[in-house]
Amino acid sequence: MKSAKKSLGQNFLVDKNIIKKIIDLTQIKNKNVIEIGPGKGALTEEIILRKPKSIKLIEKDYQLYKDLKSKYSSIKNVTVLNADILKFNLEKILKQDCLLFGNLPYNISSQILVKILKSNRLYLIQDLILMFQKELAEKILGFYPSKNYGRISILSNYKLSYKKKFNVSNNCFIPKPKITSTVIHFQPKDKNFKINNIDYLEKVTNILFSGKRKMINKNIKKLLSNSDLKKIPNFNLNLRPSEIRPEIYYKITEIYEKK
Ligand code: SAM
């Protein structure tokens, strides 16, 4: 067996029950499916059994890509792409009501999530079922007010609704990682977003959380003028970044983006 590449976060899921549990979180029949980092096809196999309309696999590792390509060469609706998801034009392959699966490489999973969040065609996805390292999942799931509340949950919550589904023990993978994983089921929020460019929300949260334990009264001046601040009712500048509701971050960003 070829050795797994640590640099590509290659921990392959081998527990059949967990694989089924992930795939059964949504209905796949006749849906267009995208899978990020299919690896050796652990999730892919089970997805194909449920008869999707099509499935597109995005795998960075050239050897795994080649193996998957030959494995599925006789199945018409399977497309295997050798690409880096962080550089890939995801918009191009998103279709109405498509499904996105990924047991994500741990080292870049927050970047992948942010990339997905920045897509202006995110609304096309019906369900996103993604696996993260437990500690990152806790931050994503860190709703206001909680100790894990912060930048990634503010960003994620703007466009997505989501729930923790279950943890996955490190014994379910080969090679066995040191960490526990968590599966989260996301669905895009159905609303008209007032922030056009999520980069601004990223910038606002980066600046305000740069002094995590400090009151935001100094850092906010890097973003808004006193007259801008008056547009935000009941905004207390003596709070710490983690004490400010997500809606306030969204309002700050709306005003900042217009400037
Ligand atoms: N889905 C498989 C499974 O559950 O067994 C593999 C999961 S493994 C945690 C992550 C996979 O993502 C690996 O196959 C790895 O080669 C691939 N990968 C790593 N970085 C990637 C990137 N930037 N773009 C696409 N795939 C990537």
Side-chain angles (χ1 to χ4, degrees):
M1 196 178 88
K2 289 161 210 114
S3 62
K5 296 192 182 99
K6 214 173 166 193
S7 62
L8 291 178
Q10 290 180 354
N11 300 97
F12 301 106
L13 198 50
V14 290
D15 185 302
K16 290 276 176 224
N17 289 328
I18 292 292
I19 294 170
K20 285 206 174 89
K21 213 169 153 185
I22 294 172
I23 302 305
D24 283 339
L25 288 171
T26 186
Q27 295 285 335
I28 287 175
K29 194 160 187 213
N30 285 328
K31 294 283 181 185
N32 295 298
V33 178
I34 299 167
E35 189 188 346
I36 300 171
K40 296 182 180 180
L43 299 178
T44 322
E45 298 264 296
E46 215 43 53
I47 294 171
I48 290 175
L49 285 177
R50 284 162 177 71
K51 303 201 180 339
K53 188 168 181 187
S54 72
I55 173 161
K56 289 199 165 57
L57 309 172
I58 305 161
E59 175 55 61
K60 184 175 178 183
D61 187 316
Y62 184 65
Q63 187 57 51
L64 290 176
Y65 152 80
K66 274 206 321 197
D67 295 347
L68 289 164
K69 214 167 156 55
S70 68
K71 188 169 173 186
Y72 297 122
S73 60
S74 60
I75 311 181
K76 249 194 184 159
N77 56 357
V78 181
T79 311
V80 192
L81 303 160
N82 182 214
D84 177 342
I85 186 63
L86 295 177
K87 295 182 186 148
F88 185 75
N89 183 353
L90 195 60
E91 271 81 22
K92 217 174 63 184
I93 61 165
L94 293 180
K95 290 190 179 156
Q96 191 69 49
D97 292 334
C98 64
L99 308 175
L100 188 77
F101 284 90
N103 167 11
L104 302 178
Y106 297 127
N107 45 347
I108 55 163
S109 50
S110 61
Q111 289 174 65
I112 297 175
L113 179 61
V114 171
K115 179 183 169 116
I116 294 170
L117 286 167
K118 286 183 180 175
S119 165
N120 52 19
R121 285 162 66 85
L122 178 62
Y123 63 91
L124 289 174
I125 308 177
Q126 181 194 298
D127 296 285
L128 300 94
I129 294 167
L130 303 174
M131 181 163 11
F132 301 89
Q133 174 171 359
K134 183 167 165 264
E135 285 69 22
L136 174 60
E138 282 167 352
K139 287 188 180 158
I140 298 168
L141 292 155
F143 299 112
Y144 176 88
S146 72
K147 80 171 177 9
N148 287 312
Y149 173 65
R151 289 182 308 148
I152 191 79
S153 76
I154 295 169
L155 281 176
S156 308
N157 258 292
Y158 189 60
K159 286 195 166 180
L160 297 167
S161 313
Y162 48 94
K163 275 199 184 121
K164 172 181 172 174
K165 286 299 165 177
F166 44 84
N167 287 340
V168 181
S169 151
N170 57 351
N171 291 318
C172 300
F173 299 86
I174 292 180
K176 182 172 161 179
K178 290 199 178 83
I179 44 112
T180 302
S181 302
T182 302
V183 176
I184 305 180
H185 186 168
F186 302 84
Q187 286 177 319
K189 282 186 177 165
D190 185 19
K191 69 168 187 174
N192 288 324
F193 298 107
K194 290 188 179 147
I195 301 168
N196 292 314
N197 185 346
I198 291 291
D199 288 344
Y200 287 107
L201 180 57
E202 206 180 12
K203 182 164 179 195
V204 164
T205 53
N206 282 348
I207 289 180
L208 295 181
F209 274 87
S210 67
K212 228 179 158 195
R213 285 172 220 295
K214 291 192 195 132
M215 290 187 278
I216 59 146
N217 51 7
K218 276 204 185 121
N219 279 334
I220 192 77
K221 301 269 159 64
K222 296 177 187 161
L223 298 162
L224 299 184
S225 65
N226 286 338
S227 64
D228 291 329
L229 286 170
K230 289 195 184 114
K231 296 177 195 158
I232 309 174
N234 307 319
F235 184 23
N236 179 355
L237 299 183
N238 295 328
L239 295 177
R240 293 184 176 81
S242 61
E243 295 168 329
I244 297 167
R245 295 180 162 277
E247 298 72 36
I248 303 280
Y249 283 100
Y250 305 149
K251 189 71 193 163
I252 294 169
T253 309
E254 276 170 44
I255 300 170
Y256 181 65
E257 188 177 30
K258 283 196 195 119
K259 276 156 79 80

